[in-house]
Amino acid sequence: MKDQRLQKLAKLLVEYSTEVQAGEKVCILADDVAIPFVVEVAREAVKKGAIVDYFIDVNEVNEIVLKEGNDHQIEQPNLNRKRCIDEADVWISAWGSKNLKYLSNVDSKKLQLQKKANTEANKTYRKRFGEGTSRWVGTQFPTHADAQEAEMSLEEYEDFVYSAGLLHMEDPVAEWKKVAESQGRWCEFLNTKSEIHIISKGTDIKATIKGRKWVSCDGRRNFPDGEIFTTPVETEVNGHITFSFPAIYSGKEIENVYLEVKDGKVIKATASKGEDLLNSFLDVDEGARRFGELAIATNYGIQKFTKNILFDEKIGGTIHMAVGSSFAETGGINESAIHWDMICDMRDGGEIYADGQLFYQNGKFLDSVL
């Protein structure tokens, strides 16, 4: 029996998140385990008169390339992905895997090569997205592997995923419009400020945001949403930050990440587990040691860390910073083959100041400030 929530999700992504129009080229991407998602999204896009294309990632093929391929083979960009980035008006993707750990034993140098292979395509994607010539939304398709990683049954995980997207509500679009209104007010407030100062356990860091734009994520970007974000000035971040939850990249976990930053560049990076891997990713290219994002999470329907960045970066009461590539729409100019979000818990004594004014405390905005 079809899960009606999946059909509801597909309709929301096509009609609300990306506002697909007749004649537009829509590309749908997912792993082979998420083919039901591809089918439902394609159905809704066709109803809108869109020209639909899709491609399916197969973990086993990627594993063969990485483990058995030579450097030249691994360095080749994904042609299907590049074509979609170059030509699609709308790109709708779903994460969901049969095995989240299938890359765990792959040499980190090979993973570096593969990240670099798609550098130009990623630059084009961010440029088009920032300019508004392409629209994208990504979401989660619940699988047994993802449920297991989150320490839930599949049924529990499905409930978690769909509830985080407000799909259990009678009118999810109306609910996301309320989120947009609330977050929009805080973006307007922060767009008038020059400096952010973040204090939490093991964290005291300042970032210049003057001239940068704060953006509200209200269900039109990745889904579920629930954050406001910007890009700090690349050379004006100073201090240190400790990330409360494991930083996960390419299926590998790095624990207790601590970064020291001077003039925007990470000059020291330590971890209790995976420190060598942490530094190998930070050395992928020049831009990997600078920040491409600073965000405040707002989805209080998500409180459990599930080792899935789509949800974890939205945990109400946390902030996250990403090393690597930035977003053109915020005014960011940092370029890198990576964009790696790391999460800091603010719910126990955390504070954020804007130009010296306290506006966020213990994981919540202070409404009295507005």
Side-chain angles (χ1 to χ4, degrees):
M1 180 182 295
K2 290 182 180 180
D3 190 327
Q4 298 299 313
R5 294 171 299 183
L6 178 58
Q7 294 175 304
K8 202 173 183 180
L9 172 62
K11 184 178 178 65
L12 185 147
L13 296 178
V14 169
E15 293 189 357
Y16 171 74
S17 299
T18 58
E19 297 181 332
V20 171
Q21 304 296 312
E24 289 189 316
K25 296 179 181 178
V26 175
C27 188
I28 309 168
L29 164 67
D31 281 8
D32 54 355
V33 71
I35 286 176
F37 170 87
V38 176
V39 171
E40 293 305 322
V41 172
R43 189 191 313 279
E44 295 299 329
V46 168
K47 287 180 183 178
K48 289 294 181 182
I51 300 166
V52 174
D53 201 352
Y54 64 94
F55 62 95
I56 307 298
D57 278 339
V58 181
N59 291 167
E60 290 84 353
V61 173
N62 194 37
E63 183 177 10
I64 289 169
V65 172
L66 285 166
K67 289 184 176 179
E68 302 178 23
N70 57 39
D71 288 357
H72 176 70
Q73 292 169 307
I74 295 171
E75 288 174 335
Q76 300 309 303
N78 185 304
L79 296 179
N80 285 331
R81 189 183 301 267
K82 183 179 184 304
R83 182 175 62 83
C84 270
I85 289 173
D86 288 343
E87 299 180 18
D89 300 297
V90 175
W91 190 6
I92 301 175
S93 59
W95 297 284
S97 178
K98 291 179 291 189
N99 183 352
L100 294 168
K101 305 293 186 182
Y102 83 100
L103 295 178
S104 295
N105 296 315
V106 175
D107 188 327
S108 61
K109 291 181 179 179
K110 291 190 173 185
L111 292 174
Q112 275 187 344
L113 287 176
Q114 191 173 68
K115 295 298 178 188
K116 287 182 178 180
N118 292 301
T119 298
E120 289 304 314
N122 289 337
K123 285 170 62 176
T124 301
Y125 155 71
R126 294 189 184 279
K127 182 174 184 292
R128 291 195 66 203
F129 186 65
E131 293 172 343
T133 58
S134 179
R135 307 189 300 283
W136 170 83
V137 66
T139 192
Q140 177 71 39
F141 178 78
T143 70
H144 282 288
D146 292 288
Q148 186 174 26
E149 187 76 352
E151 299 182 353
M152 301 181 193
S153 68
L154 180 58
E155 183 177 355
E156 290 171 337
Y157 191 64
E158 288 171 339
D159 290 342
F160 167 78
V161 168
Y162 294 128
S163 293
L166 304 178
L167 294 166
H168 62 297
M169 304 295 284
E170 183 176 348
D171 187 349
V173 171
E175 297 301 320
W176 282 108
K177 287 181 178 178
K178 292 178 185 177
V179 172
E181 182 181 358
S182 174
Q183 292 183 173
R185 291 197 299 269
W186 285 108
C187 286
E188 290 176 6
F189 169 79
L190 291 170
N191 280 334
T192 66
K193 306 303 179 183
S194 297
E195 182 185 74
I196 289 289
H197 185 189
I198 301 168
I199 300 172
S200 189
K201 293 180 180 178
T203 296
D204 190 336
I205 193 165
K206 293 181 178 181
T208 296
I209 56 170
K210 186 177 182 179
R212 297 298 166 88
K213 179 183 178 182
W214 284 82
V215 177
S216 172
C217 297
D218 49 23
R220 297 180 184 272
R221 300 177 186 277
N222 50 23
F223 192 88
D225 245 332
E227 66 174 278
I228 59 173
F229 74 93
T230 191
T231 300
V233 176
E234 287 74 11
T235 58
E236 299 183 27
V237 182
N238 289 281
H240 59 272
I241 184 166
T242 301
F243 294 103
S244 316
F245 302 102
I248 302 174
Y249 206 89
S250 296
K252 297 177 183 289
E253 293 184 34
I254 302 172
E255 297 180 357
N256 299 311
V257 173
Y258 170 84
L259 304 180
E260 288 185 10
V261 189
K262 183 177 181 181
D263 297 332
K265 186 174 183 178
V266 176
I267 59 172
K268 181 179 180 181
T270 65
S272 62
K273 174 186 174 183
E275 185 172 313
D276 289 344
L277 184 60
L278 168 65
N279 280 282
S280 74
F281 281 130
L282 293 177
D283 289 333
V284 163
D285 51 39
E286 178 64 24
R289 283 187 177 265
R290 296 191 183 275
F291 290 96
E293 182 183 3
L294 165 61
I296 303 173
T298 63
N299 193 327
Y300 292 91
I302 305 174
Q303 290 293 291
K304 177 181 172 60
F305 181 71
T306 61
K307 301 182 182 179
N308 182 331
I309 196 61
L310 174 64
F311 299 96
D312 297 339
E313 70 173 2
K314 313 294 190 330
I315 294 173
T318 69
I319 62 106
H320 58 273
M321 297 186 74
V323 290
S325 59
S326 59
F327 300 96
E329 65 193 305
T330 63
I333 58 174
N334 197 47
E335 296 182 355
S336 175
I338 71 170
H339 179 89
W340 189 2
D341 296 293
M342 302 182 193
I343 305 160
C344 177
D345 199 337
M346 303 291 289
R347 291 172 289 189
D348 185 12
E351 296 179 333
I352 309 179
Y353 296 80
D355 292 351
Q357 180 182 14
L358 179 67
F359 72 93
Y360 182 97
Q361 189 173 41
N362 292 321
K364 292 185 178 181
F365 289 103
L366 302 178
D367 289 332
S368 59
V369 171
L370 296 180

